[in-house]
Amino acid sequence: MGFGTLQSFAAVFTSEVASINKRRPAGHQIELEQEPFETSEEIKPLRPTEQSQVVGLALSGGGVRSSAFCLGALQGLREANVLSKVDYLSTVSGGGYIGASLSVGMTATGGRFPFKADLSEDETPSVQHIRDYSNYLFPDGAFDLLRNLSIVARGLVANAIVVLPVLLFAAFVTIKAVPFVSQAHKANIFGFEIPNIFPFEHFVITSYLVTVLGVLLIGWGIVKSFSRRDNEASGWRSKAVGILLSVVLFTAFCEFQPYILRSMLGAGPSTFWQDLVAWIQSVILWLTPVAAAVALFAQKLGELVKTASEANKSSGFRKAIAAKLLVYAASAVVPLLIWTLYLYLSYWGICVDRECIYSLAPDWLVSAAHFVPISISRSIFGGDTHLVAQLYVMVLLLCLIVVCFLRPNANSLHPLYRDRLSKAFLFQPQKYGRRDPKTGRPLPLLPLSMNLSGLSEKDCPYHLINAALNIQGSRYVNQRGRNADFFIFSRNFVGSRATGYVATTDMESVMPGLDVGTAMAASGAAASANMGGATIKPLTPTLALLNVRLGYWLRNPAKVFKGCAWDLAANYYFLLEMLGLLNENRQSVYVTDGGHIENLGIYELLRRRCRVIVVVDAEADPEMAFSSFNVLVRHAVIDLGIRIELPWQQIADRTKEAGKAIDDEGDTDKAPGPHVAVGQICYPGGRTGVLVYIKSSLTGDENDYIFHYKKRYEAFPHETTIDQLFSEEQFEAYRALGFHATNRFFSRRDKFACPNLAENPCIREEVKLLDQLFPRVGEPDPCRPQDHTTFEGWLPSPQGGSALESGASG
């Protein structure tokens, strides 16, 4: 395989299976076969044989909340001896924090589980370290806040340097067209006056173009009337007229600017536009802090709109409308600010007289302009001296030179986010904690940086780190409604369907900063101007300019070749990011949070035809609507032809009932589950699989400190993902809930939601498979009697009914 060679998914899957087989015991290797049905792909997809029984584990997104809940779930899976049988680990966002920590830790220690949960005087150093850094954004308090603000300020300046040349060039073109106050009413193109046959002074060029457009439309109508058949949708005539219409609109916008400038110069019949610009200035002054706040909490507003749209209450609907209005108001600030700045840059550059003795620019700008030699001005403007315009040209050129040295990822918030996450979750596991020899105080564990290609094949599950490839401006039709494609980082390959897949070692050679920490941060880049299906389009320019940009610019897998480490065009990709013009064809692509297309991490496991998928869902879902699961079901049916039957409504009903009782009365019935639903996956070709769905939920039988936390914090266990500053109590409540839900299920102590056996009797065989693959660990505890020792024991007998049988599928 040559350097940078693109591979199909079939080749990627084959490579992954070869890696997984190095971890599997002899005699239990995964074998592949071709799918038995016809597909639209040139290379037929592969699937594991029925005896291979591939097991996948998915950890959902949800920030620190998810990492805490998933940590508890991992501890429960390890105690039940399930983790050792997991072939694939698929993570998204917050689930990726703890997933990356697990993969790196097991690689560094030869397969030892770093988060062992024993009842001892001290936790393992790894768990202590993660708990200590659960407030990972500000681990050192106020000092970190100042440091973070300084990094944000640096990014704002970098963004301004990229955008400023565009404004200065627009102002220069305007000044070239209207160099003097006396010429504000004359129609011209770059200073060349256009004869005016119309009885008005403005929009002359637009009027000419409209006349031409009208004549063409009339002629087209006549031709069309005599033609027998013409392709109306894709004919060259419609394309040509469409281009001309775009030119007319653009020209009208350009000619609108001198019209406003004339009013600002006092040369117009009224001062309406001058008053309008002044009013816009005052509006911007008031709305700018609002826009900044909305940008910072854009994700929270998105959650509010999503939650309210899922709620049945009218109050929720009103909140959603209010949030949308706030978003649109804030989104108008940046365009208005840029437009106003452009107008004033143009206004300040126009001279009052031919000698340009009198200037409309403020004194500080005129003083700065006098430091620049006038030779450039004379060469551009002839004998006229436009010092301010000359200064614009010099600053423009200087900015363009500086931009050549700005890298697209260097000044976004991605490096800060990556480094904070890496310090909290990527470390060298130790059996015993480190202490300062002088003070005796515990020391943080040593950081551990590791390349993706350095992850072990033998010591940990094959890790798929899920991200979203943003392609809002793509012609890749299947993804247009989603604005994104599924993108993976893994040990062997990096890529997506839209870009193809390239060897991870090749990608690492052209992207030296790409390691596990970078992939983990990209997968968790929840706040960004472009967020796949979660993009708030009106806010895209605002979020970009305010540097709310956690996403990562990566070399396009389709463009990886030797000697391509430097991409000069990438310095200008910020403009594409700001305008939402991203696609899969450029030298670099933009990846963000995998939750921006699928927040559970199940999709890639379905593509690999896993026989059993265990998913830990810790997303923020206060309405218990299982929205991420329902999005997955839609993607699975459309893309993969896979149907999933899961009775999630049973979990939702019990959690809502328990939560309401605790909120209203301070107590609830102690029901043994369900925290887990067992469903059926129907693959193409007649194969089936099992989905074990562990949901962040409450049933009333949780331990006392989880119960106590819930009574004081009503939103638990679905507190907002915006909250990334977890206290010890908050982190422990989620970790303990994750362990409780997982351990109680695999120890057979809790009942679980199951499809209606009368409608789907085959589910009994799927449950038997779980008993076969994951037998109960340890002998029954005589001090803690339980109803059943097998999963099948919870199912009703074929002759009798049960509460499990009456559950409806979600």
Side-chain angles (χ1 to χ4, degrees), residues 187-188 192-198 204-205 208:
N188 68 88
F192 297 98
E193 189 170 341
I194 303 297
N196 185 4
I197 63 173
F198 301 101
V204 175
I205 300 173
Y208 281 124

Side-chain angles (χ1 to χ4, degrees), residues 134-427:
S134 58
N135 179 9
Y136 69 92
L137 289 175
F138 308 103
D140 295 326
F143 183 75
D144 279 330
L145 176 61
L146 294 174
R147 180 180 297 171
N148 293 355
L149 288 175
S150 67
I151 292 172
V152 171
R154 184 193 70 200
L156 292 174
V157 172
N159 292 348
I161 291 174
V162 177
V163 174
L164 187 57
V166 178
L167 286 176
L168 292 175
F169 179 75
F172 167 75
V173 171
T174 304
I175 296 169
K176 185 70 174 172
V178 188
F180 308 105
V181 172
S182 59
Q183 294 180 328
H185 64 287
K186 295 181 180 180
N188 68 88
I189 298 177
F190 301 115
F192 297 98
E193 189 170 341
I194 303 297
N196 185 4
I197 63 173
F198 301 101
F200 44 81
E201 296 178 338
H202 291 283
F203 300 101
V204 175
I205 300 173
T206 303
S207 299
Y208 281 124
L209 290 175
V210 168
T211 302
V212 172
L213 179 63
V215 171
L216 287 177
L217 289 174
I218 293 172
W220 186 18
I222 295 173
V223 171
K224 181 67 179 176
S225 299
F226 285 93
S227 63
R228 295 183 178 180
R229 180 176 175 81
D230 188 15
N231 192 325
E232 193 81 326
S234 59
W236 66 268
R237 295 183 182 88
S238 59
K239 184 176 181 180
V241 172
I243 293 173
L244 180 58
L245 180 59
S246 300
V247 172
V248 170
L249 295 174
F250 178 73
T251 304
F253 175 78
C254 292
E255 287 198 291
F256 183 55
Q257 311 312 311
Y259 181 70
I260 299 174
L261 283 171
R262 187 183 180 192
S263 296
M264 294 175 65
L265 293 168
S270 107
T271 59
F272 170 78
W273 294 107
Q274 187 175 5
D275 294 340
L276 176 63
V277 172
W279 178 80
I280 289 174
Q281 279 184 288
S282 62
V283 170
I284 290 173
L285 181 65
W286 288 101
L287 282 185
T288 297
V290 174
V294 169
L296 290 174
F297 296 101
Q299 188 182 359
K300 175 63 177 175
L301 284 171
E303 285 184 14
L304 177 61
V305 172
K306 173 185 171 185
T307 302
S309 64
E310 292 170 351
N312 295 321
K313 299 177 182 178
S314 59
S315 59
F317 176 76
R318 288 194 296 269
K319 287 180 181 178
I321 295 297
K324 288 181 180 179
L325 291 176
L326 186 59
V327 165
Y328 283 111
S331 65
V333 172
V334 168
L336 288 175
L337 178 63
I338 291 176
W339 182 53
T340 305
L341 182 58
Y342 151 75
L343 286 175
Y344 272 95
L345 286 172
S346 303
Y347 175 78
W348 292 335
I350 296 174
C351 290
V352 175
D353 54 7
R354 286 280 177 179
E355 290 73 27
C356 216
I357 297 175
Y358 300 102
S359 174
L360 300 172
D363 293 340
W364 63 268
L365 189 58
V366 174
S367 300
H370 277 93
F371 284 99
V372 183
I374 64 173
S375 56
I376 296 179
S377 179
R378 292 190 182 278
S379 65
I380 296 175
F381 292 96
D384 303 316
T385 304
H386 282 70
L387 293 180
V388 173
Q390 174 187 334
L391 177 64
Y392 290 170
V393 173
M394 298 300 292
V395 174
L396 185 155
L397 294 175
L398 180 61
C399 287
L400 291 178
I401 293 172
V402 172
V403 167
C404 293
F405 298 94
L406 295 176
R407 306 309 300 157
N409 292 317
N411 295 292
S412 71
L413 294 182
H414 171 83
L416 172 65
Y417 185 53
R418 175 202 63 207
D419 293 344
R420 294 294 193 204
L421 283 175
S422 296
K423 187 174 183 179
F425 292 96
L426 303 183
F427 48 80

Side-chain angles (χ1 to χ4, degrees), residues 486-501:
F486 298 90
F487 195 95
I488 63 161
F489 297 92
S490 71
R491 180 194 180 278
N492 295 352
F493 285 93
V494 172
S496 69
R497 276 179 170 173
T499 61
Y501 300 86

